[in-house]
Amino acid sequence: MQQTQAHSPGRGRDSFIDVIRALCVLAVISQHWLMPVLTYEDGKLSAGNALASPGWWIVTWLTQVMPMVFFAGGAANFFSFRSAKSVHTWLRSRIARLLVPVIPLAAVWLLLPHVLTGAGAPRQPVLMAGKTAGQLLWFLAVYVLVVALTPVMFKWYRRYGWRVIGALAACALAVDVLRFEVSPAIGFVNALFVWLAAHQFGFHYADGGLRTQNARASLGLAAAGFGLTAAAVFFGPYPASMIGMPGAPVSNMSPPTALMMSLTIGQLGLWLTLKPALTRFAGRPMATAFLQWCGTRFMTLYLWHMPALVMTAGIAMVGLGFATPVPGSPMWFAVAPLWVGVSGFFLVCFTRIFGRFEFRHRSGTASDMSLGKVVLAAVLSAGGLLGIAAQGFISPGNPLGPVLWGALVLAGLLVVRERTAPKAVVGQSSRTVPVQLTVRREDVRVLSRQGSG
């Protein structure tokens, strides 16, 4: 989702990475819009998951695209970081680009739930809406940390190559053992190990190791990845669904398990197999225009697609008394286009209003600053984003909590957006030029006196 440009060395943009990012964001949006099974009765909104239907878990092996989101981010970051003149400036620019679009989202949703409840809207649906609007910020929190670690991971990639992914896989497996045997909370450590590995696969693509392999090798990679995933599900403790299901004792995504690494391999092999067709598609004028439009609005589309769903659900469920048909039924398929169309209308409106924050910031430049401040900004913003993702934009038990989490995100942004004075040349100061001019004028007077004498 990051707004970096995916440049291929010597060839301009890498259209394959552009296509992956665009299709991934569309997959995320469509899955989140079609998953909910909603009913509203006696002032209470209940939500289920359509993908919990028998046999639908296999769909998640393709629609759970977060592995490819981090892969595409890794490739884009490799291209841009390799040509960066300053590590600090690169980090500052990337973190700012990620955080700026969050500010209007937080500004709206920290106020909107209170306005709605004050206007007489049912409280429970509003609380659910406030949580839904913020829950996907977990991705941004993790990605900010992954971006902050990019210089280190780049150095390790240059020195150790594939061994870095091997080490991350071993760490992820060790965390899973502790998660299942000791405490489920330990599993959250894998939010870094698993997604750093997917990000590292992007390095290998950008540097040519995966970009040039043929279709046969790509198919083999896909078969190995999906085969390993199937074996781990069949013989191991992992659930078959690649997304969290309501009431399930274990989730492969929250937090991620090591199984997501084999899924990354399978999906990557499949995408690489389709690469020739995808790049030809990207060369068509309409596809090129769409990719360019998405390229400047990835974060806005991601952040505002859940509020668009909230608007649709609020009107349909609370306002009109509609209930989601049985998933997979003829009525469900008949209603789905209308549901997606209304949500899409709201998302387009939100994008037109709030996309300007993301687009305007892209044209800006970032000056250098200390590495300590960049790290501070990453930690502050990641902590605030995780807090909002866990608590939502409104919390009955802790009303100040969301405000404080939002303040942390804003503090992180202010740190990276702080204006820094240009570095002075050693031995010079801002008074150098005026002093030189004064001396020269005195010299002129002396020379004039000498000439007249």
Side-chain angles (χ1 to χ4, degrees), residues 46 129 188 275 278 377 409 421 428 452:
S46 302
F188 286 97
K275 180 182 176 182
L278 293 175
V409 178
Q428 292 185 356
S452 60

Side-chain angles (χ1 to χ4, degrees), residues 48-302:
N49 193 322
L51 292 174
S53 303
W56 283 32
W57 56 266
I58 191 63
V59 177
T60 66
W61 289 35
L62 297 178
T63 59
Q64 175 49 272
V65 293
M66 278 302 157
M68 290 299 96
V69 170
F70 281 94
F71 162 79
N77 287 336
F78 185 95
F79 288 138
S80 60
F81 182 78
R82 182 170 54 182
S83 59
K85 296 180 180 180
S86 167
V87 173
H88 304 173
T89 301
W90 185 89
L91 285 171
R92 182 185 187 189
S93 174
R94 291 301 175 271
I95 293 174
R97 287 182 178 185
L98 291 170
L99 296 182
V100 167
V102 179
I103 301 305
L105 179 77
V108 170
W109 279 94
L110 285 174
L111 292 175
L112 184 60
H114 301 283
V115 173
L116 291 175
T117 53
R123 183 171 178 78
Q124 188 269 345
V126 171
L127 293 176
M128 183 180 290
K131 185 171 182 61
T132 300
Q135 64 185 6
L136 295 184
L137 290 178
W138 74 263
F139 159 75
L140 198 55
V142 175
Y143 196 75
V144 164
L145 295 178
V146 169
V147 168
L149 290 171
T150 293
V152 176
M153 303 309 296
F154 184 88
K155 181 178 180 180
W156 287 358
Y157 166 79
R158 289 299 200 195
R159 185 170 182 178
Y160 301 111
W162 287 102
R163 286 175 287 179
V164 176
I165 293 180
L168 290 170
C171 291
L173 287 170
V175 168
D176 276 1
V177 171
L178 295 174
R179 170 184 180 174
F180 292 121
E181 298 296 332
V182 180
S183 171
I186 298 176
F188 286 97
V189 179
N190 266 347
L192 276 181
F193 290 145
V194 169
W195 300 130
L196 278 174
H199 191 261
Q200 207 73 1
F201 274 109
F203 283 13
H204 287 275
Y205 172 84
D207 208 24
L210 292 171
R211 193 170 352 120
T212 58
Q213 68 178 13
N214 56 38
R216 185 174 181 179
S218 299
L219 280 173
L221 192 66
F226 287 126
L228 185 59
T229 303
V233 169
F234 187 79
F235 296 105
Y238 302 104
S241 175
M242 296 300 133
I243 65 172
M245 290 297 178
V250 178
S251 169
N252 281 318
M253 265 299 294
S254 182
T257 64
L259 191 65
M260 301 307 297
M261 297 185 69
S262 61
L263 184 70
T264 301
I265 296 172
Q267 289 187 354
L268 179 57
L270 183 60
W271 282 97
L272 289 174
T273 303
L274 299 174
K275 180 182 176 182
L278 293 175
T279 51
R280 287 194 300 270
F281 170 77
R284 297 179 180 179
M286 290 187 63
T288 300
F290 176 74
L291 292 175
Q292 290 175 346
W293 184 86
C294 283
T296 56
R297 297 166 176 85
F298 275 124
M299 284 305 307
T300 305
L301 291 170
Y302 179 80

